[in-house]
Amino acid sequence: MNVTADGLRFPDGFLWGASTAAHQIEGNNVNSDWWQMEHSGGSIAEPSLDAADSYHRWREDMDLLAQLGFTDYRFSIEWARIEPAPGHFSRAEIAHYRRMVDGAVERGLRPMVTLHHFTVPRWFAERGGWTADGAVDLFERYVRATAPIIGTGVRHVCTINEPNMIAVAGAIRELGTEALPTAGLPLPDKATTDALIQAHHRATAAVKAISADIRAGWSIANQVYQAQPGAEAVTAAYSHPREDVFIEAARDDDWIGVQSYTRTRITTDGPIPAPDDAERTLTGWEYYPQAIGHALRHTAEIVGDVPLIVTENGIATDDDTRRIAYTTGALQEVSAALEDGLDVRGYLHWSALDNYEWGSYKPTFGLISVDPDTFERTPKPSAAWLGGLARTGMLPRAGR
C-alpha cells in the first residue's frame, strides 16, 4: 500500500471488479430449486422471471464493465442449466459459459467463476439436497464437468458462495420460519455444514485436477459479530458455527472470499438489533461501511496467511450518493488493512447490476440500473466513480 499526497494507492495487480450471480441476473432458470420455490405459492414476494435477461445480454454487461474501467468480473455458472437432469450434461450450456469466459478475457476482464451460488438443480433438491446420501459425490461430478468452462483463461474459481448462509437456510427448512430470530441468525444445520465443507474440499481438488494454475477458494458471509461489554465469550461461541468453522475450512486454500455488508452486536443475552436511530439500507440493515475492515481482520486472524479477496461488498439504496459514500468508507477500511500488512488482493463490488435479491427486486445494490421492461442498462454515477478508481488504482483523499 502506498500513501501519497493525492490519496491511497492500491497495489499493482489489485482486482478491481464487480460481482453477479447467475440466478439473480440471467432469467428463466427453470430447472433450479429456487425457480420451483418462486412458483410454489409460498412466502417469496415475487418471482425472478426474466431477471435482468443477462443470459442473453452478458456481452452488453461485460462491455459496460470494461468501458467503465473495471479489470475483473465475478459471475457464477448455473448447475441447474449445465446438469438439468441427473448425469445429463448440456453441451450447449457448457459452450454458453465458455463463451462468457472468452468474452471476458477478450474485453480485458479477468473472470472469477463461482461454481455454486445458492441455487441447485431441482432434481438435486428433490433427492434431499446437501444432506442426502451421495450429495458431495454429485457436486464433485458437476465440478469435473465444468472443465471446458474453467480449464483455460480463469485464474480464480470460487467453489461455493456463502456456505454458512446455505447451512442457515438448511436450519430454516428443518425448523420453519419460526426459527428466525429478531436479530442475528439461526444456528446453521450441522449436517449441511459438514457436507458443504466436504464438498468444498472435494471441489477444490477437482478444480486443481482440471488446471493446477487455477487459484481455488470459497467466499464466506461475514456478519461482523461485535462483542458488547462482557460478551466476548458469548460472541465467540455464537460466531463459530455461523461463520468461523467455514473460515477454518479455508486454511489450505489459495484464497478466501470475504463478504460483508453490516454488523451484528452481541450482548451476554445474544444478538441485538441495530440502534433505533441508525441509518438503514433498503434491506433494513444498518449502514455500516466499516464492516468490511472488521471482516478482513477477523478472517485473517482465523485463516492465517491465506490471501484475502473482497468478493462482495455494497449497499442496497436508491440514493447513489450514499452508495459512493458507503464504498468510499469500505475502501478506506481495505486500504487500512493493507497498511497493517493484511494480504488483500482485490475488491469486487456487489453488484454490477440491480438484480433479483432472493425474493424481491426492490433492494437495488447495482452500479448499473436495469429497466424491468426493456432491460436497458444505465450506469449510475457510482459505476463511473468506482471504474475510475480501477483505472488509477488510487482512492483520492477527501476533497480531491
Side-chain angles (χ1 to χ4, degrees):
M1 190 71 190
N2 183 16
V3 181
T4 72
D6 294 325
L8 307 168
R9 182 172 295 281
F10 287 76
D12 292 340
F14 195 77
L15 280 61
W16 288 99
S19 298
T20 58
H23 187 79
Q24 295 179 257
I25 66 169
E26 285 184 340
N28 299 300
N29 184 22
V30 298
N31 289 314
S32 75
D33 62 331
W34 261 90
W35 184 271
Q36 181 183 17
M37 286 190 289
E38 292 165 17
H39 296 273
S40 64
S43 60
I44 293 177
E46 58 181 319
S48 55
L49 301 179
D50 291 321
D53 194 32
S54 286
Y55 185 86
H56 302 104
R57 300 169 191 265
W58 62 265
R59 296 173 182 85
E60 181 180 355
D61 297 337
M62 291 188 190
D63 284 343
L64 284 172
L65 290 173
Q67 292 163 9
L68 286 163
F70 292 96
T71 59
D72 295 81
Y73 180 38
R74 178 189 175 215
F75 59 90
S76 71
I77 60 177
E78 183 54 61
W79 185 4
R81 293 186 190 271
I82 292 171
E83 191 180 4
H88 171 73
F89 295 94
S90 169
R91 290 186 292 272
E93 296 294 0
I94 289 171
H96 167 81
Y97 288 118
R98 181 63 224 181
R99 286 192 293 272
M100 288 186 64
V101 168
D102 290 338
V105 173
E106 289 165 3
R107 291 163 173 80
L109 294 169
R110 293 173 293 205
M112 174 186 286
V113 176
T114 301
L115 303 179
H116 177 274
H117 197 121
F118 290 148
T119 51
V120 298
R122 180 173 176 173
W123 61 262
F124 182 85
E126 289 174 344
R127 68 185 301 278
W130 288 105
T131 58
D133 290 342
V136 173
D137 297 329
L138 292 170
F139 184 64
E140 181 183 17
R141 183 179 71 178
Y142 154 67
V143 174
R144 291 199 304 267
T146 68
I149 303 169
I150 66 174
T152 58
V154 176
R155 190 65 184 278
H156 291 92
V157 164
C158 175
T159 60
I160 301 172
N161 176 77
E162 295 190 352
N164 49 337
M165 295 298 99
I166 299 172
V168 164
I172 296 172
R173 282 193 296 271
E174 285 290 322
L175 302 174
T177 55
E178 64 271 15
L180 290 171
T182 56
L185 296 171
L187 185 67
D189 179 67
K190 179 64 163 57
T192 305
T193 294
D194 293 343
L196 288 166
I197 290 173
Q198 185 183 7
H200 168 60
H201 290 153
R202 295 265 291 274
T204 298
V207 167
K208 291 294 190 180
I210 292 169
S211 172
D213 293 332
I214 297 175
R215 296 175 179 174
W218 68 350
S219 57
I220 310 302
N222 290 252
Q223 302 300 309
V224 184
Y225 296 115
Q226 294 183 345
Q228 302 305 290
E232 289 76 13
V234 171
T235 302
Y238 189 89
S239 176
H240 189 267
R242 292 168 173 82
E243 186 170 309
D244 298 354
V245 67
F246 298 93
I247 299 174
E248 291 167 355
R251 283 174 173 157
D252 294 324
D253 290 352
D254 297 319
W255 59 276
I256 183 170
V258 180
Q259 307 191 166
S260 191
Y261 296 87
T262 189
R263 64 174 173 174
T264 304
R265 299 180 301 156
I266 308 290
T267 69
T268 53
D269 294 323
I272 58 174
D276 291 340
D277 61 351
E279 179 181 352
R280 293 179 182 271
T281 69
L282 292 177
T283 52
W285 301 339
E286 180 183 3
Y287 176 98
Y288 192 72
Q290 300 94 322
I292 196 62
H294 293 283
L296 287 167
R297 294 172 194 280
H298 179 72
T299 300
E301 183 180 353
I302 295 173
V303 84
D305 60 359
V306 177
L308 312 171
I309 301 175
V310 177
T311 42
E312 288 185 24
N313 174 253
I315 176 177
T317 182
D318 52 14
D319 181 350
D320 204 51
T321 64
R322 298 308 289 154
R323 178 171 290 105
I324 292 174
Y326 180 96
T327 310
T328 297
L331 287 171
Q332 288 170 342
E333 293 287 332
V334 174
S335 69
L338 283 162
E339 277 290 289
D340 288 344
L342 273 67
D343 187 5
V344 186
R345 301 288 179 89
Y347 177 89
L348 288 85
H349 192 84
W350 184 269
S351 168
L353 305 169
D354 286 341
N355 59 37
Y356 183 68
E357 286 294 336
W358 307 110
S360 175
Y361 283 101
K362 292 179 181 177
T364 46
F365 281 91
L367 296 166
I368 300 167
S369 67
V370 179
D371 186 287
D373 297 317
T374 66
F375 303 111
E376 180 181 2
R377 274 77 164 136
T378 304
K380 302 174 186 178
S382 57
W385 170 81
L386 189 55
L389 298 188
R391 283 196 176 93
T392 64
M394 179 179 290
L395 179 65
R397 292 190 181 279
R400 290 183 179 270

